Amino acid sequence: MTDTSLKNAFAVCALLCVGLAAALGYVLWRHWAPASSQTDTGPVVARGPEAPSQSGGGGKSQPTGPEEPALTPVQMSPQRMQEIGVTTAVAEMKEVSDELQAPGSVAIDEQRISYVQTRFPGWIRNVFANATYQYVRKGQSLFTIYSPDLVSTEQEYLLAKKNQKSVSEHMHGTPAEEGNWLLQAAAERLRRFDIPEAEIAHLDSSGTANHEITIDSPASGYIIERNALPNAYVQPETRLYTIADLSTVWVYANVPQTDVGRLKPGDRTQVSVDAYPGRKFNGRIDQILPDVDVTTRTVRVRLVMSNPGVALKPGMYVNVDIAAPLGRQLLIPVSGVLQAGSRQIAFIDRGQGSLEPREIETGPTLGDSIVVLKGLKAGDRIVSSANFLVDSEAQLQSAMGSFAPPPSQAASGPQQSAAQVQIDFITEPNPPRKGANSVRVRLTGPDGKTLSGVQTTITFFMPAMPAMGMAAQHASVSLTEKGNGNYESPLHLDAGGTWQVTITVQRAGTTIATKQLSVSATGGM
């Protein structure tokens, strides 16, 4: 087996050990941890024979809820943080948009559809726009039509005009007015047939009825339906052409009903099509339709898209990206959130290896970031990777923090003042390692003078890991006084990992001070 394989195997074993240690730590916490249990990583935690219980006044323990374990800070050395890959990030306020992706399809803009129909019956003669999907411009000739009704109306108009001219030359008063009325009535019938003013002017100038009239396109666009055929007889209700302007189209996006609440008309959108790699079409939300597909549980959202060059064809499948503005929000990396049961937790880096767990409330996920609604503020530095391992370390420290040798109940004897004895602890090497080490303690009294003539013991404890076939590890030594308040002894550790350390200081058999802390030793299990 190569060195690389050995390293990889060791790394996998190390991660498994940490995970199993976390599980065991949680069990130990449930069994041993008192209501106010937490690891003391600061200065001395000292007590005398009459020191009050840490449970609170009267020595009565306070009940704790069984639902969720208490959040306890964790203290880690820089070496240990580097070993498990801890990195940090800063919570920042940013102007953000929620990006939603949804499938969609292109449809014709119904507001840009025009129909071509006549207001009189007749026979189609010549057809100029003779193919479906042919592009026509507004005012372009489509076909000619012969209509006996239209010809009769034109002849009536010409006759009324002739009579009106004759009457106006020879008669005055009522007959002249009646001639004008007849002419106006004939012209109005032509207008009701939707005959353009240019055609009426041609009648006036030529003085002859036109047996065929040309029908022009009312709009520019593509013919998507055609029923105009040569020699066909048509009625006013016959739809001869349907013309669609495709310079602007609709896109219907199928958005999950759970995401519809984030959207509103006017939000910006982008559409991409597999047929045009790298090309984006910009648009906006026009309407969120009031209907849910009961099969897919999606809501159709209608977008209005500009369609240069008619690149978007009706019926085409597209990918829709919708940007829903969320304003300024507090963001942290997604990897900075630990899901612990029903809670979401972030670890705040207080510096010097001190990590404080904080329950937070989060909002939508935006790419690699997530919105924090409650629990953090801008500028907070949080752990952005290895959160699970940090949480495992915290639970393990919390569980082992309750393991301490019981203090001696011996009574009288000279004592130091309990809360003022300073215990300084160091190992050589620092951090300790699997194998031979040296431990040193320096004791300082409340008056600032060093303590001498006391008995100092140090206990290293690591709980058993049955799943890995490991028994509990225990190492205890009595330190030798070296003078000037210094106590020292060699110590052998059988494994690397996190050890719970308890320092006990006694005088004449009475415990005058203790200190508990966690130490991470290097080396394998």
Side-chain angles (χ1 to χ4, degrees):
M1 183 178 289
T2 63
D3 291 342
T4 301
S5 300
L6 287 172
K7 291 179 180 178
N8 291 337
F10 176 78
V12 172
C13 290
L15 289 175
L16 289 174
C17 291
V18 173
L20 292 170
L24 180 61
Y26 179 78
V27 173
L28 291 173
W29 179 89
R30 298 285 292 178
H31 183 70
W32 283 332
S36 59
S37 172
Q38 61 179 357
T39 302
D40 181 0
T41 57
V44 64
V45 177
R47 58 177 181 268
E50 298 180 1
S53 169
Q54 294 183 5
S55 300
K60 295 182 179 180
S61 63
Q62 302 296 321
T64 58
E67 292 81 5
E68 296 284 357
L71 299 178
T72 58
V74 58
Q75 182 72 33
M76 302 177 68
S77 66
Q79 292 84 353
R80 181 59 176 164
M81 293 176 66
Q82 185 176 10
E83 284 177 1
I84 65 176
V86 173
T87 59
T88 60
V90 178
E92 297 178 314
M93 293 291 295
K94 290 183 179 180
E95 196 79 25
V96 295
S97 295
D98 190 4
E99 301 290 339
L100 298 178
Q101 288 78 40
S105 58
V106 181
I108 295 172
D109 186 342
E110 295 175 7
Q111 299 174 350
R112 294 176 176 268
I113 293 178
S114 301
Y115 297 121
V116 177
Q117 294 173 274
T118 63
R119 299 187 180 182
F120 46 83
W123 283 264
I124 294 177
R125 292 292 183 85
N126 299 315
V127 177
F128 306 117
N130 55 8
T132 306
Y133 296 108
Q134 177 181 340
Y135 182 79
V136 295
R137 293 180 176 83
K138 183 176 181 179
Q140 180 177 332
S141 299
L142 300 177
F143 61 92
T144 61
I145 186 172
Y146 164 71
S147 172
D149 292 350
L150 180 57
V151 172
S152 297
T153 303
E154 288 182 342
Q155 289 174 344
E156 289 175 5
Y157 175 80
L158 293 174
L159 181 59
K161 182 176 182 182
K162 182 178 180 181
N163 291 338
Q164 187 264 349
K165 183 178 181 181
S166 175
V167 170
S168 62
E169 291 178 353
H170 302 287
M171 303 182 69
H172 301 282
T174 301
E177 292 179 358
E178 289 179 352
N180 290 333
W181 292 341
L182 290 174
L183 180 61
Q184 291 174 5
E188 183 63 24
R189 283 195 297 274
L190 289 174
R191 294 190 183 95
R192 290 186 181 276
F193 281 152
D194 201 22
I195 303 301
E197 292 295 334
E199 184 66 22
I200 297 176
H202 178 72
L203 281 176
D204 290 337
S205 61
S206 65
T208 58
N210 191 357
H211 286 202
E212 291 183 13
I213 186 172
T214 301
I215 303 299
D216 298 334
S217 174
S220 297
Y222 290 85
I223 298 172
I224 60 174
E225 182 184 14
R226 181 180 78 95
N227 294 310
L229 301 174
N231 301 317
Y233 178 76
V234 298
Q235 296 280 6
E237 64 268 18
T238 305
R239 185 182 298 173
L240 300 175
Y241 290 94
T242 302
I243 299 174
D245 180 3
L246 300 181
S247 60
T248 299
V249 294
W250 286 347
V251 170
Y252 286 103
N254 300 313
V255 178
Q257 65 178 26
T258 54
D259 295 329
V260 171
R262 311 186 206 177
L263 307 180
K264 65 180 183 302
D267 285 349
R268 295 178 294 105
T269 63
Q270 278 193 335
V271 165
S272 59
V273 190
D274 294 340
Y276 311 109
R279 185 175 179 184
K280 300 290 185 180
F281 300 86
N282 296 319
R284 59 177 176 81
I285 293 179
D286 178 58
Q287 183 181 1
I288 301 172
L289 303 190
D291 181 63
V292 177
D293 188 316
V294 296
T295 303
T296 61
R297 288 297 167 188
T298 57
V299 176
R300 289 206 305 167
V301 177
R302 188 168 66 208
L303 319 176
V304 177
M305 312 293 300
S306 179
N307 190 22
V310 196
L312 299 176
K313 275 68 173 179
M316 182 178 281
Y317 180 87
V318 298
N319 302 306
V320 180
D321 295 322
I322 304 175
L326 299 179
R328 288 181 60 79
Q329 299 288 343
L330 183 64
L331 297 182
I332 62 173
V334 173
S335 58
V337 180
L338 175 68
Q339 191 70 42
S342 61
R343 299 186 297 184
Q344 293 175 306
I345 297 172
F347 287 91
I348 300 178
D349 184 4
R350 296 299 188 188
Q352 303 299 319
S354 176
L355 305 177
E356 175 193 342
R358 179 79 58 81
E359 186 172 352
I360 63 174
E361 182 179 334
T362 61
T365 300
L366 309 174
D368 294 333
S369 301
I370 190 169
V371 174
V372 178
L373 303 177
K374 187 167 63 175
L376 296 176
K377 65 180 184 299
D380 283 344
R381 181 170 292 278
I382 58 104
V383 174
S384 59
S385 66
N387 283 32
F388 173 74
L389 298 178
V390 173
D391 182 60
S392 301
E393 193 88 14
Q395 294 187 33
L396 189 61
Q397 290 184 14
S398 176
M400 292 189 298
S402 60
F403 176 84
S408 171
Q409 299 300 320
S412 60
Q415 304 176 29
Q416 286 300 136
S417 173
Q420 296 186 25
V421 176
Q422 177 69 37
I423 301 177
D424 296 318
F425 171 75
I426 192 171
T427 65
E428 178 64 38
N430 186 22
R433 65 192 175 193
K434 177 181 178 180
N437 299 271
S438 177
V439 291
R440 301 189 185 105
V441 169
R442 179 179 175 83
L443 303 177
T444 307
D447 54 2
K449 297 181 179 180
T450 58
L451 294 184
S452 59
V454 297
Q455 296 79 46
T456 305
T457 59
I458 295 182
T459 300
F460 279 64
F461 173 75
M462 180 183 293
M465 300 181 186
M468 299 183 63
M470 292 183 58
Q473 303 288 330
H474 184 273
S476 181
V477 294
S478 296
L479 276 62
T480 302
E481 185 174 358
K482 297 295 184 179
N484 197 27
N486 294 315
Y487 297 79
E488 182 178 341
S489 176
L491 175 72
H492 183 87
L493 295 179
D494 293 332
T498 301
W499 292 81
Q500 179 66 28
V501 180
T502 302
I503 305 172
T504 305
V505 181
Q506 293 183 324
R507 187 191 295 274
T510 300
T511 299
I512 62 173
T514 62
K515 181 175 183 178
Q516 293 180 337
L517 68 155
S518 294
V519 173
S520 296
T522 60
M525 293 291 185

